[in-house]
Amino acid sequence: METNVAEAKVSPNELLKAGCPTLAGTLAQTLADEQADHFSEEDAQFLKFHGCYQQDDRDVRKQGKKFIMMVRVRMPGGVLKPAQYVAMDRLASEYGNDTLRVTSRQGIQFHGVLKSGLARTIRGINEALLTTLAACGDVVRNVVTPPPVLHGLAGQQVLADARLLSQSLLPQTPAYHEIWLNGERLKLESEVAGDFVDPLYGKTYLPRKFKISFAIPPVNDVDIFAQCLGFIAIQEDGQVAGYNVVAGGGMGRSHGNQQTFPRLGDLIGYIPRGAVEAAARAVVGIHRDYGDRANRKHARLKYVLADRGVDWFRAELEQRLGFKLEAARPFVFTRQGDWYGWRQLADGTWVLGMFIETGRIRDTESRRLKTALRRVVEELGLEVHLTPANNLLLVGIQEGQRAEVTRILAEHGADPGRAVSAVRGASMACVALPTCGLALAEAERYLPNLMTEIEQALQETGLGGEEIIIRMTGCPNGCARPYMAEIALVGKAPGRYQLFVGGNAAGTRLNRVYKETVKEGEIIGELRALFERFRRERVAHERFGDWAARVLWLEAAA
Ligand code: SRM
Ligand code: SF4
């Protein structure tokens, strides 16, 4: 049942896609026009499917729009070979703003790329055997996994399955290669072939973005219940035997629009490992055929589940698969989040988990993190594995290289021995200002300072060393998955945030609004008061989020 865009009233994006199913737009023409510093609004929509967002520097907007591009790289499981990381580092310096942004879906983003450097950036990414195709747009995005090296054979099997899905669900349009890799040709072969139909996505792709992740219990570091589609690995004898399928999760909402909401994915059933590709393609097909194409705010798969119910969804999936799903197998999640420091693997090599505050890799005067990482990776031949909480692991360190890694990092002010507090280590912030066009308030630039105040408040209330999962976003879209956090601050307007409490450590519960609006200057006072109550009222080793759900939610309901 493929949706016919002519049948119903559809959103402008649907007409755009239907009008140019190769997604080529007039991108090549604008690229060739050296006078143009930006793309048309229509082309900016196509550009997303190619992994780029046209943005403007919001810090200088008052003086007129300065167009800059964000380029997002897709890499299933966040795994980068040494040469790939070094290539990313170089491209960021040559064409971007000299920083790399580790994303909450294990990708890398370049910010501040000018239109004149865009094609060379994308070509450089492809030369490193990575791609930006389908990093954004109404398609399946980067497939996320737990850092595979931490899970032995199961980790490798999950990574192999993530790569399989990533490849299988990639759009087939020839335009990407024609525009970015074969030179900026004005007349595209794909344009002539206006009847192009993607074998999976059809002419109009998905109604909205689609997100897939794998999880390996007992760690839920990927926030599996926040994904459109999740595969929870079920192991037998140290091997992945199959997956519990979770569907219909998502974070995005809009202030003041009750029709939009974050939603936890539903447990659908169990499939053997060999069925993972068929299951993923079938679920993507359900979204393609039943997702809302009239209202983009209601177009995610989660609303299909919310509106039609889990039983309908399971039956539809089974019908497409041609077999019945088994009942979900038992599993337990105990925690989310990353770990830091040294860990030795079974093969004798070492891994170093590094906290990358708010995911930003840059050089500052006191801490030359970008240079330090490039040097250790390049000189010692280390892999870089990105985590879904914007951090990274240096992988493949030989026993004899440990001292050298420490020396190089310390020399640049990035000493791995300098411990980060538990609360800071568990924090996340989205990009927000100055690049994100949707940001209502600061996040990445503000959270580090707020964390210092929070660390102090915890110390003073006798809670020093406590881990509380705190996430901040510049708007309610939820890019740092704030609604899974024990405390979340969600931007409403400059200097104003909505305060949520009550998520849990296992990432299985959504938090709830505690205060509709808190001004920046009042946040620490609000939190300090909560910390004091929590210390007095917590039961045994109860976590903040569990206390908040037990006590504050009840009070709010009374
Ligand atoms: Fe996101 C839009 C950044 C993960 C939900 N997201 C955006 C845009 C592209 C803003 C825009 O549309 O103009 C942001 C670009 C900012 C910039 O300047 O870089 C942006 N999202 C990010 C990243 C970089 C945040 C980060 O701090 O790492 C993450 C990139 C991941 C990647 O590599 O693919 C990122 N975004 C997420 C997540 C988390 C996840 O996927 O696990 C979510 C919540 C889960 C979900 O999708 O429900 C998320 N982003 C959104 C939404 C809300 C969608 C909705 O259902 O309503 C938007 C807005 C939209 O799509 O219209 C959005
Ligand atoms: Fe931008 Fe909002 Fe996403 Fe933050 S949560 S990056 S402000 S869209």
Side-chain angles (χ1 to χ4, degrees), residues 26 30 38-45 54:
T26 54
T30 312
H38 69 287
F39 297 87
S40 69
E41 270 180 38
E42 289 196 346
D43 275 349
Q45 295 301 327
Q54 178 159 284

Side-chain angles (χ1 to χ4, degrees), residues 430-433 436-441 443 473-480:
C430 75
V431 178
L433 293 162
C436 179
L438 304 178
L440 303 170
T473 54
C475 86
N477 282 318
C479 297

Side-chain angles (χ1 to χ4, degrees), residues 297-543:
K297 289 212 175 289
H298 186 257
R300 301 292 300 274
L301 181 72
K302 66 181 174 181
Y303 298 115
V304 176
L305 267 289
D307 295 345
R308 291 174 182 262
V310 183
D311 292 340
W312 173 87
F313 180 85
R314 188 182 297 106
E316 181 67 27
L317 177 58
E318 288 175 343
Q319 193 246 314
R320 286 172 188 242
L321 281 173
F323 64 85
K324 287 224 169 293
L325 268 63
E326 289 175 39
R329 302 260 174 104
F331 67 97
V332 179
F333 285 127
T334 53
R335 57 167 288 123
Q336 52 176 215
D338 291 339
W339 66 271
Y340 308 111
W342 293 97
R343 185 185 289 195
Q344 192 167 25
L345 303 181
D347 66 1
T349 63
W350 290 83
V351 169
L352 177 62
M354 290 186 67
F355 173 61
I356 307 295
E357 189 148 45
T358 66
R360 186 68 66 174
I361 298 174
R362 65 150 60 91
D363 282 350
T364 62
E365 245 171 60
S366 58
R367 196 161 186 268
R368 289 164 51 229
L369 180 63
K370 181 168 176 289
T371 304
L373 286 173
R374 190 193 60 242
R375 278 197 54 197
V376 284
V377 170
E378 197 167 26
E379 291 173 24
L380 304 176
L382 307 181
E383 284 195 2
V384 177
H385 294 197
L386 309 177
T387 81
N390 313 95
N391 298 305
L392 63 77
L393 308 176
L394 293 175
V395 175
I397 305 168
Q398 303 297 324
E399 175 70 44
Q401 293 178 323
R402 284 182 69 191
E404 187 64 355
V405 170
T406 304
R407 189 189 63 75
I408 296 174
L409 292 176
E411 206 176 276
H412 294 81
D415 185 351
R418 200 177 58 186
V420 63
S421 72
V423 70
R424 192 183 291 265
S427 68
M428 282 172 78
C430 75
V431 178
L433 293 162
T435 54
C436 179
L438 304 178
L440 303 170
E442 296 279 355
E444 183 185 315
R445 296 196 293 195
Y446 172 39
L447 189 65
N449 288 340
L450 181 64
M451 288 312 301
T452 305
E453 292 183 59
I454 289 174
E455 283 169 341
Q456 202 179 336
L458 285 172
Q459 203 67 46
E460 286 164 9
T461 46
L463 292 167
E466 189 77 20
E467 182 192 88
I468 302 175
I469 298 161
I470 300 180
R471 296 180 181 175
M472 172 178 273
T473 54
C475 86
N477 282 318
C479 297
R481 299 184 293 271
Y483 311 112
M484 308 304 303
E486 293 179 282
I487 296 176
L489 289 151
V490 173
K492 284 189 95 172
R496 285 180 158 69
Y497 296 84
Q498 215 173 10
L499 175 59
F500 290 73
V501 295
N504 64 354
T508 55
R509 185 172 67 213
L510 291 173
N511 53 25
R512 295 188 190 165
V513 178
Y514 175 67
K515 280 267 156 81
E516 267 305 333
T517 308
V518 185
K519 289 189 196 147
E520 203 174 291
E522 295 165 357
I523 293 174
I524 197 64
E526 283 289 347
L527 294 184
R528 184 186 291 270
L530 289 177
F531 294 157
E532 276 164 4
R533 276 195 67 184
F534 166 54
R535 189 184 45 78
R536 285 197 308 273
E537 298 174 13
R538 79 192 299 189
V539 179
H541 297 296
E542 192 174 33
R543 288 187 64 113

Side-chain angles (χ1 to χ4, degrees), residues 165-178:
L165 296 196
S166 185
Q167 195 55 39
S168 171
L169 302 166
L170 205 60
Q172 299 299 306
T173 170
Y176 182 81
H177 281 79
E178 288 176 19

